[in-house]
Amino acid sequence: MKKRVAIIAANGGLFDAYKVFNIATAAAATEAEVAIFFTFEGLNLIHKEAYQQLPLPEGKEQIQQGFAQANVPSIPELVGMAQEMGVKFIACQMTMDVMGLTKEHFVDGIDVGGAVTFLDFAKDADITLTF
């Protein structure tokens, strides 16, 4: 039986995005079934505009250059990789409603659901992480 990895993405900075997508793609590479629930600021990680300009922590601007020099994929590239590897993206319906967002604001291929949708996946997860 495949391992299941359930990830909650609740923060919207660049470091948060790398944590979420590095773990998700690594887990998917091991044949695990992976789902990410994007809620509150975490929705920025899959927002068509926001995910291209995620904020760095103050004083860490020089790290952006390090990412480029180390050939680390951009967040849009990691999003695409995760989707190609079968990682399921679930955008939080309640947060979208509160923020006035629709499915069209996000990258293609996402599901929209509430906490129950994520919990249905997470209840059988071998690993659950929150970033």
Side-chain angles (χ1 to χ4, degrees):
M1 191 163 157
K2 276 188 170 186
K3 294 261 188 219
R4 274 189 162 200
V5 178
I7 300 170
I8 298 173
N11 294 296
L14 187 65
F15 285 5
D16 304 302
Y18 276 112
K19 293 173 202 173
V20 168
F21 294 117
N22 282 337
I23 294 292
T25 55
T30 67
E31 303 294 312
E33 189 179 353
V34 184
I36 307 170
F37 184 66
F38 297 90
T39 188
F40 294 99
E41 289 86 9
L43 284 172
N44 287 337
L45 307 187
I46 56 170
H47 188 279
K48 284 180 183 172
E49 293 171 18
Y51 85 145
Q52 298 181 44
Q53 53 193 5
L54 296 171
L56 277 165
E58 197 169 313
K60 300 288 185 187
E61 294 78 13
Q62 75 283 2
I63 290 182
Q64 188 69 46
Q65 196 173 11
F67 283 134
Q69 289 173 343
N71 293 318
V72 174
S74 68
I75 296 308
E77 289 170 326
L78 283 173
V79 166
M81 288 168 56
Q83 288 182 309
E84 286 171 19
M85 298 172 87
V87 174
K88 183 175 185 170
F89 291 0
I90 306 166
C92 178
Q93 180 72 64
M94 180 199 73
T95 305
M96 289 171 58
D97 292 347
V98 167
M99 294 182 173
L101 299 169
T102 64
K103 191 172 182 178
E104 289 68 38
H105 287 99
F106 300 97
V107 297
D108 293 335
I110 67 161
D111 293 330
V112 175
V116 172
T117 303
F118 177 72
L119 290 171
D120 191 47
F121 177 89
K123 72 180 178 356
D124 296 319
D126 299 285
I127 300 168
T128 305
L129 302 165
T130 303
F131 295 105

